[in-house]
Amino acid sequence: KFYNFYNVGTGKEISINKLTFKLSDLIKKNIKIKKTQLPLGDPIQSLGDIKKIVKFLKLKKDFFTPFEKGLFKTILSYE
């Protein structure tokens, strides 16, 4: 069998602080960040590259939902 791995993301980096601020703003609640030591093996920074999945599925880059809109839709799905 043949398996392949794909990154799915926005292609843009976002910090945990910025993500928390956006999420807090959308749900209208104050979110406190508890800073802990990074687990062994976790990357300091990460950036999903969508080129491979775009090519494989023959998609246009604008097919994907923008980050803020996707975050908002995710929140709505839990309400």
Side-chain angles (χ1 to χ4, degrees):
K1 290 185 178 186
F2 176 74
Y3 297 96
N4 218 328
F5 296 92
Y6 297 92
N7 285 320
V8 179
T10 63
K12 296 178 183 174
E13 191 173 55
I14 185 167
S15 71
I16 295 296
N17 289 338
K18 191 171 182 179
L19 171 62
T20 304
F21 177 77
K22 289 184 180 291
L23 185 58
S24 178
D25 189 48
L26 287 172
I27 65 173
K28 307 293 186 223
K29 291 188 180 183
N30 186 28
I31 299 173
K32 294 181 184 178
I33 298 175
K34 180 180 177 183
K35 294 187 179 192
T36 61
Q37 194 162 7
L38 193 64
L40 186 64
D42 271 14
I44 294 172
Q45 291 178 293
S46 178
L47 177 63
D49 185 353
I50 62 173
K51 291 176 191 171
K52 187 176 174 183
I53 196 167
V54 166
K55 183 178 178 183
F56 179 75
L57 296 176
K58 298 179 177 103
L59 300 171
K60 293 183 179 180
K61 286 186 181 180
D62 62 352
F63 170 83
F64 294 93
T65 303
F67 171 75
E68 289 184 27
K69 185 176 181 181
L71 184 60
F72 181 71
K73 288 171 80 172
T74 300
I75 292 166
L76 289 179
S77 73
Y78 283 94
E79 291 182 339

